[in-house]
Amino acid sequence: MKIPKKVDYAVKIFQIVDEHPKTTTELASQLKTSVFFLQQIVARLHRAGLVLVVRGPGGGVKNYVLVTNLYSIARALGYTDKSLSGLDGGYLDLLKQYKVQSNLFTV
């Protein structure tokens, strides 16, 4: 099973940000990718209510939900059920079952 690149980076964002917001520049540096690419992902996650974006000094990206699943992340990034189910027969069901937790909320 291959997870789409944007979903993979979104999961990494969830794992990095905790109670201290991180800017997209900090995230890009840590993930070794472009700021623009991460801004696109963060904007979609923010619109879906999965992350909080705090503007101004001391701001950045912050977790907004305790736990989500890969399916919710993929849908927030614009993937449809049809595009996701086309990747693998049971892929869609697996996405709905796989939980994503931030480091702050892991048990």
Side-chain angles (χ1 to χ4, degrees):
M1 171 182 72
K2 184 164 171 74
I3 295 174
K5 183 178 178 180
K6 285 184 180 180
V7 175
D8 182 46
Y9 275 95
V11 169
K12 289 175 183 176
I13 290 169
F14 269 92
Q15 293 171 337
I16 292 172
V17 295
D18 51 22
E19 73 272 6
H20 303 291
K22 302 231 187 265
T23 66
T24 51
T25 303
E26 292 170 327
L27 289 169
S29 174
Q30 191 167 348
L31 294 172
K32 297 179 180 22
T33 191
S34 75
V35 173
F36 180 72
F37 178 67
L38 289 184
Q39 285 173 335
Q40 292 175 332
I41 293 171
V42 167
R44 286 181 173 260
L45 294 174
H46 177 66
R47 279 192 295 257
L50 297 176
V51 296
L52 179 65
V53 175
V54 179
R55 296 187 185 274
V61 181
K62 187 175 178 180
N63 278 338
Y64 196 66
V65 295
L66 299 178
V67 179
T68 189
N69 59 33
L70 284 177
Y71 176 75
S72 298
I73 292 171
R75 292 289 296 175
L77 296 174
Y79 292 94
T80 63
D81 284 356
K82 186 175 181 178
S83 66
L84 292 171
S85 62
L87 297 173
D88 189 346
Y91 188 70
L92 190 59
D93 291 332
L94 183 63
L95 286 178
K96 290 179 181 178
Q97 294 171 10
Y98 188 82
K99 302 289 183 209
V100 177
Q101 295 179 307
S102 71
N103 291 333
L104 180 62
F105 302 109
T106 52
V107 179

